[in-house]
Amino acid sequence: MSLEGRFDADEGVVRVGGDARQRYHDSRGYGYPLEGNEIALAPVEAAHLLYRGDLEAVVNTASGDRLGFRAFIAREPGDDFGVRFLVYADLRSRGFYLSPASEPWVSDPPGGEADFAVFPRGKGPGDGEIAYALRIIGERTDIPAAELREGVLAVVDEESEITYFEVGSRDPTGTSNADASLPAGCAADLLADRVVVWEPPLDLYERTFYGQPLEGREYDEPTLQCSLLEAAYLAERGAIDLEPGTVRERGREVEGERFDRRLSVYTALRERGVVPKTGYKFGADFRTYADVESVENLGHSELLVRVHPADYVFEPRDLALDVRLAHGVRKTMVFALVADGAEGTDGIEWWSLERLTP
């Protein structure tokens, strides 16, 4: 027998009596218990039970109207109720229990920008364990970089399909000690948008993966073509005979203020033992190698890194494109967010996004 609920607009919950506690809460993780067998449901939980036919109707205590599923969701305030309901229903169909993150019955609520607390399979609101915090947006809702949080981002597109992204803070590290064997004062020439390093030690390319050899020269040591980022980094460490300020200035002429952000990230990666190389072919700033012993035995690059200012605003479509591309070439997409006026490698936040199938 289906039950009816009573919607209390002041409290923002739907109360259900009868055997609701055993039927909905104890066995299926909906709502939270009140006195006796009564439970309180969040509106999205009540909507799901109405949709499934487990609730026959919800009575609006203020007007006395008896609302079915269609009428109930039509009166729900807020433009995001529809997308929140779609994601709630989808995760329920996958066997998850979840509750609105702000509800008082959620133990250790994730807070922040989260819409739902999703519990591990087999767990519920009262078990004190959360699998992840879930945030829900439509495909046209932009995301300021400052609002990125660890957890899962669900994006609902215009055809009501849902894409899940796992968002995590990242700490790129590797074992490549690039500065241990740097030469001193190698001859170099600054060209329009790159630098040629004349006959440096072979290890500069073979062991620490700087530059690309200039083919066709019959010398024991290679002549390397280096990017302006590589050259600025090497010049600051005295490895080539160019003034660091001169290389930086040329970089700013070529790229504008973007050059300083990319150099900060390049430097941070090198100092973390990670070798960054251009990510142009993948539509990114860098592709990275965590462990470089020899270019001849170079493994697969692990990350694609895109550099943005800290106040950048992401469009969900761009996120989907970046993550899809990275997944297609067996890499993880990482965003390096550089604070305005950051000195050196300070003020960089690292965030990874990957597709998730709950």
Side-chain angles (χ1 to χ4, degrees), residues 2 24 47 62 167 176 200 233 240 257-258 260 264 298-299 305 315 329 333:
S2 296
Y24 302 144
V167 183
S176 305
Y233 183 87
I240 59 176
E257 62 180 15
R258 180 169 173 262
D260 286 321
S264 293
L298 191 64
V305 179
E315 293 186 10
V329 292
M333 193 71 217

Side-chain angles (χ1 to χ4, degrees), residues 90-91 94 96 118 121 132 134 152 162-164 356-358:
D90 180 65
L91 288 172
R94 295 171 185 263
F96 288 95
V118 181
R121 281 191 172 91
Y132 49 80
L134 177 71
V152 173
I162 305 166
T163 302
Y164 295 94
L356 173 72
T357 301

Side-chain angles (χ1 to χ4, degrees), residues 12 17 66-67 72 100 102 116 129 160 213 224 231 312:
R66 193 168 177 271
L67 309 175
F72 185 75
S102 60
F116 291 106
E129 187 177 351
S160 299
L224 297 181
Y312 187 76

Side-chain angles (χ1 to χ4, degrees), residues 279-346:
Y280 171 78
K281 291 181 180 179
F282 306 105
D285 289 286
F286 304 111
R287 69 187 195 276
T288 67
Y289 302 84
D291 307 291
V292 176
E293 295 182 2
S294 169
V295 172
E296 291 184 358
N297 299 311
L298 191 64
H300 184 74
S301 60
E302 301 88 7
L303 307 178
L304 293 182
V305 179
R306 188 182 287 277
V307 180
H308 290 304
D311 60 357
Y312 187 76
V313 177
F314 293 96
E315 293 186 10
R317 290 185 184 185
D318 291 340
L319 284 179
L321 178 63
D322 287 339
V323 174
R324 172 74 72 176
L325 190 150
H327 179 77
V329 292
R330 296 180 293 127
K331 307 181 196 306
T332 298
M333 193 71 217
V334 173
F335 297 99
L337 306 176
V338 183
D340 186 33
E343 293 294 332
T345 61
D346 293 335

Side-chain angles (χ1 to χ4, degrees), residues 20-354:
R21 176 167 181 170
Q22 185 280 328
R23 187 189 293 192
Y24 302 144
H25 176 76
D26 294 347
S27 63
R28 294 156 63 189
Y30 287 93
Y32 70 101
L34 301 172
E35 293 182 2
N37 290 325
E38 192 176 39
I39 64 170
L41 301 170
V44 71
E45 294 175 306
H48 189 245
L49 289 171
L50 285 167
Y51 176 74
R52 289 174 50 87
D54 293 318
L55 274 182
E56 185 174 340
V58 171
V59 177
N60 189 326
T61 57
S63 65
D65 293 336
R66 193 168 177 271
L67 309 175
F69 173 70
R70 180 178 177 181
F72 185 75
I73 64 170
R75 55 126 324 267
E76 262 303 306
D79 295 335
D80 63 345
F81 186 80
V83 295
R84 293 173 72 244
F85 175 79
L86 289 170
V87 175
Y88 183 90
D90 180 65
L91 288 172
R92 275 282 181 176
S93 72
R94 295 171 185 263
F96 288 95
Y97 295 166
L98 62 160
S99 293
S102 60
E103 299 297 347
W105 60 89
V106 178
S107 299
D108 191 24
E113 301 294 326
D115 291 293
F116 291 106
V118 181
F119 310 109
R121 281 191 172 91
K123 302 288 186 180
D127 293 320
E129 187 177 351
I130 295 174
Y132 49 80
L134 177 71
R135 182 181 178 186
I136 302 166
I137 61 171
E139 69 166 279
R140 298 180 181 87
T141 302
D142 293 341
I143 310 167
E147 294 181 8
L148 288 177
R149 299 288 186 274
E150 289 191 348
V152 173
L153 176 68
V155 181
V156 183
D157 68 21
E158 64 183 357
E159 295 185 350
S160 299
E161 293 191 3
I162 305 166
T163 302
Y164 295 94
F165 299 101
E166 185 171 9
V167 183
S169 59
R170 190 84 182 197
D171 185 23
T173 57
T175 64
S176 305
N177 190 355
D179 292 349
S181 56
L182 285 181
C186 292
D189 288 333
L190 176 61
L191 305 182
D193 63 351
R194 67 203 65 223
V195 165
V196 176
V197 183
W198 301 102
E199 302 180 22
L202 188 62
D203 279 357
L204 191 62
Y205 172 71
E206 290 289 347
R207 297 292 178 185
T208 51
F209 207 6
Y210 288 95
Q212 291 290 332
L214 186 64
E215 300 293 339
R217 288 179 56 81
E218 301 297 330
Y219 290 99
D220 292 334
E221 305 292 358
T223 297
L224 297 181
Q225 303 174 83
C226 290
S227 71
L228 292 174
L229 290 172
E230 292 174 312
Y233 183 87
L234 291 172
E236 287 174 357
R237 283 149 186 80
I240 59 176
D241 65 354
L242 293 175
E243 288 293 326
T246 301
V247 182
R248 275 181 174 263
E249 186 59 35
R250 179 60 56 82
R252 291 171 185 141
E253 291 173 5
V254 171
E255 291 191 50
E257 62 180 15
R258 180 169 173 262
F259 180 80
D260 286 321
R261 285 196 298 271
R262 295 178 70 228
L263 181 59
S264 293
V265 172
Y266 181 93
T267 300
L269 289 168
R270 281 285 186 180
E271 291 180 352
R272 289 164 170 258
V274 177
V275 174
K277 299 295 286 186
T278 179
Y280 171 78
K281 291 181 180 179
F282 306 105
D285 289 286
F286 304 111
R287 69 187 195 276
T288 67
Y289 302 84
D291 307 291
V292 176
E293 295 182 2
S294 169
V295 172
E296 291 184 358
N297 299 311
L298 191 64
H300 184 74
S301 60
E302 301 88 7
L303 307 178
L304 293 182
V305 179
R306 188 182 287 277
V307 180
H308 290 304
D311 60 357
Y312 187 76
V313 177
F314 293 96
E315 293 186 10
R317 290 185 184 185
D318 291 340
L319 284 179
L321 178 63
D322 287 339
V323 174
R324 172 74 72 176
L325 190 150
H327 179 77
V329 292
R330 296 180 293 127
K331 307 181 196 306
T332 298
M333 193 71 217
V334 173
F335 297 99
L337 306 176
V338 183
D340 186 33
E343 293 294 332
T345 61
D346 293 335
I348 301 175
E349 290 188 7
W350 309 85
W351 291 93
S352 65
L353 267 77
E354 299 182 78

